[in-house]
């Protein structure tokens, strides 16, 4: 698994970089065919290559993504590195180690005929092209297992916040900043007002709703009153009601400066993932963990969203965090604990093996564990 992880991390898969995504898809298609005994369907949407191994009578879907947030060339400055039992490198935790574990687990299962696998390549940019594919395959499945990373403590993820993404575009009027700034309508000043307004939309009661201004651009030259500005906004919340409250508030924003105009694009991207849907799967995983001698397997609430949000929103039982144990996702110190990969691979294999033999899945699932 360490050798394969080295190969996969070294095969860069930067967001939107088609040559790199296609090369990575080629590699994974070979690995998947080796363990599943059937070729991948390469589903190309808007040029992006997603990999699907559908199953007839699909009882369980393994879900993951092979794109990372890191630009091409990152692996040259931060190559895959192993120090004792810790591996580092771009995308090692989110979520290339999870993919290695997924394919290794499938190799351990005698019959994978009822197991579907979907690996997408645009999760880090919002799953714009893959969402319908994810939802279609989830509807065909009795349960969805998401191989995103576990928490650094090793907890599975039973609930996730929902998320929204917005872009605010401000239009003002240019003027000479030194000679006659009063003739201008300063888009930078207007967007600053909007940043302060957005800051007040988060949950003041500590309810976990965050409204975070992120990417900002404005102006053209240092001596020109900025005519335009744009601001990206990231929203996270535990409930649909909170996402919709913030959505209504953002769409109702009005300009502060006279003659400035404001346009809002974007909206709710993922609704929250409910712990209720995950609980029977968590209990099943805990039963299998006890058989394997894995102690204290618990479920956690995760602030970040994943493609599991889409499948859970459809009412399909979904359990997340079945990938590697590690941390530092999207950061330079991203890492995976290599010595925990075998136990997590065994856990996933056991869970898939049981689910793939069930005609249906529900609260009584634990009673049918062999």
């Amino acid at each position: 698994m360490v050798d394969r992880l080295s190969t996969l991390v070294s095969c860069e898969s930067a967001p939107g970089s088609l040559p790199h995504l296609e090369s990575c898809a080629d590699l994974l298609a070979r690995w998947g065919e080796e363990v599943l005994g059937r070729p991948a369907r390469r589903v190309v949407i808007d040029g992006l290559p997603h990999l699907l191994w559908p199953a007839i009578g699909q009882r369980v879907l393994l879900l993951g993504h092979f794109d990372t947030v890191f630009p091409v060339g990152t692996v040259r400055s931060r190559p895959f590195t192993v120090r004792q039992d810790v591996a580092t490198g771009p995308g090692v935790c989110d979520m290339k180690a999870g993919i290695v574990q997924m394919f290794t687990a499938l190799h351990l299962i005698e019959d994978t005929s009822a197991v579907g696998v979907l690996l997408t390549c645009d999760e880090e940019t919002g799953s714009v092209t893959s969402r319908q594919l994810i939802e279609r395959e989830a509807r065909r499945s009795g349960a969805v297992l998401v191989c995103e990373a576990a928490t650094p403590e090793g907890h599975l993820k039973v609930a996730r916040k929902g998320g929204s993404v917005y872009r605010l575009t401000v239009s003002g009027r240019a003027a000479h900043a030194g000679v006659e700034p009063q003739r201008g309508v300063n888009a930078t000043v207007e967007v600053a007002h909007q940043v302060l307004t957005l800051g007040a939309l988060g949950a003041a009661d500590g309810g976990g709703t965050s409204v975070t201004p992120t990417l900002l651009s404005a102006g053209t030259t240092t001596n020109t009153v900025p005519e335009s500005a744009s601001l990206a906004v990231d929203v996270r919340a535990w409930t649909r009601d909170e996402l919709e409250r913030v959505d209504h508030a953002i769409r109702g924003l009005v300009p502060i400066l006279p003659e400035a105009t404001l346009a809002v694009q974007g909206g709710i991207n993922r609704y929250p993932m409910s712990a209720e849907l995950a609980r029977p799967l968590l209990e099943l995983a805990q039963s299998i963990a006890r058989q394997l001698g894995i102690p204290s397997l618990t479920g956690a609430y995760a602030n970040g969203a994943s493609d599991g949000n889409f499948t859970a929103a459809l009412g399909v039982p979904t359990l997340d965090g079945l990938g590697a144990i590690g941390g530092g996702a999207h950061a330079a110190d991203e890492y995976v604990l290599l010595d925990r990969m075998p136990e997590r691979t065994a856990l996933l294999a056991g869970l898939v093996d049981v689910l793939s033999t069930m005609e249906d899945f529900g609260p009584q699932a634990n009673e049918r564990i062999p």
Side-chain angles (χ1 to χ4, degrees):
M1 284 194 287
V2 175
D3 289 343
R4 283 206 158 184
L5 184 56
S6 173
T7 299
L8 189 54
V9 170
S10 300
C11 186
E12 290 189 292
S13 47
S17 178
L18 290 182
H20 294 86
L21 292 173
E22 288 169 351
S23 177
C24 194
D26 290 341
L27 173 66
L28 294 173
R30 292 194 298 271
W31 288 0
E33 184 171 355
E34 288 173 8
V35 296
L36 289 165
R38 56 189 192 266
R41 291 184 187 173
R42 190 171 299 220
V43 184
V44 179
I45 306 172
D46 293 344
L48 296 177
H50 310 296
L51 294 176
L52 172 64
W53 290 265
I56 298 171
Q58 192 161 287
R59 293 173 184 162
V60 58
L61 174 68
L62 299 185
L63 181 59
H65 67 90
F66 59 91
D67 57 316
T68 73
V69 298
F70 300 100
V72 173
T74 303
V75 76
R76 289 196 294 272
S77 59
R78 288 197 294 108
F80 179 80
T81 304
V82 174
R83 293 186 177 89
Q84 296 181 335
D85 287 323
V86 177
T88 57
V92 67
C93 182
D94 185 15
M95 55 163 283
K96 293 192 171 182
I99 294 174
V100 170
Q101 291 179 188
M102 177 195 296
F103 284 143
T104 307
L106 289 170
H107 180 71
L108 299 174
I109 299 169
E110 184 175 351
D111 182 6
T112 60
S113 61
V115 182
V117 175
L118 175 58
L119 297 176
T120 67
C121 67
D122 68 346
E123 192 272 349
E124 297 293 5
T125 52
S127 306
V128 175
T129 70
S130 62
R131 177 173 180 171
Q132 289 187 346
L133 179 61
I134 293 165
E135 292 175 337
R136 186 192 76 192
E137 290 304 307
R139 289 189 180 101
R140 299 182 56 240
S141 310
V144 176
L145 304 179
V146 185
C147 293
E148 291 271 12
T151 70
E153 300 78 22
H155 304 323
L156 302 181
K157 296 174 180 178
V158 297
R160 286 184 178 273
K161 283 184 176 181
S164 308
V165 180
Y166 300 91
R167 180 171 297 279
L168 277 58
T169 303
V170 173
S171 296
R173 184 170 59 245
H176 196 295
V179 177
E180 43 187 4
Q182 70 282 357
R183 291 192 61 221
V185 178
N186 195 316
T188 296
V189 173
E190 176 61 42
V191 83
H193 284 298
Q194 299 301 330
V195 167
L196 296 176
T197 301
L198 289 165
L201 295 180
D205 61 357
T209 300
S210 60
V211 181
T212 309
T214 55
L215 187 64
L216 172 66
S217 63
T220 52
T221 67
T222 59
N223 60 353
T224 302
V225 173
E227 183 176 35
S228 63
S230 68
L231 173 69
V233 184
D234 181 286
V235 178
R236 306 295 172 110
W238 287 116
T239 67
R240 283 176 175 249
D241 287 347
E242 272 294 276
L243 286 178
E244 288 166 359
R245 174 188 69 82
V246 175
D247 183 76
H248 180 75
I250 289 179
R251 295 187 188 285
L253 292 172
V254 294
I256 302 299
L257 299 181
E259 299 185 73
T261 62
L262 176 64
V264 177
Q265 295 175 302
I268 297 171
N269 177 255
R270 290 172 168 88
Y271 281 109
M273 176 179 161
S274 166
E276 291 303 312
L277 278 172
R279 186 165 291 114
L281 283 170
L282 174 64
E283 292 172 357
L284 183 58
Q286 289 170 329
S287 297
I288 294 167
R290 285 192 292 271
Q291 294 179 28
L292 294 170
I294 300 173
S296 359
L297 189 68
T298 59
Y301 284 59
N303 288 333
S306 81
D307 286 337
N309 289 65
F310 295 139
T311 65
L314 298 174
V316 180
T318 300
L319 184 61
D320 206 333
L322 285 157
I325 297 174
H330 298 193
D333 58 353
E334 183 176 4
Y335 71 93
V336 159
L337 302 181
L338 297 176
D339 58 337
R340 304 294 297 277
M341 289 181 71
E343 76 172 47
R344 288 306 162 117
T345 300
L347 174 66
L348 180 62
L351 192 54
V352 172
D353 197 33
V354 171
L355 288 171
S356 63
T357 64
M358 291 182 175
E359 294 293 339
D360 62 341
F361 182 77
Q364 295 79 30
N366 290 337
E367 299 172 8
R368 301 199 295 275
I369 298 175

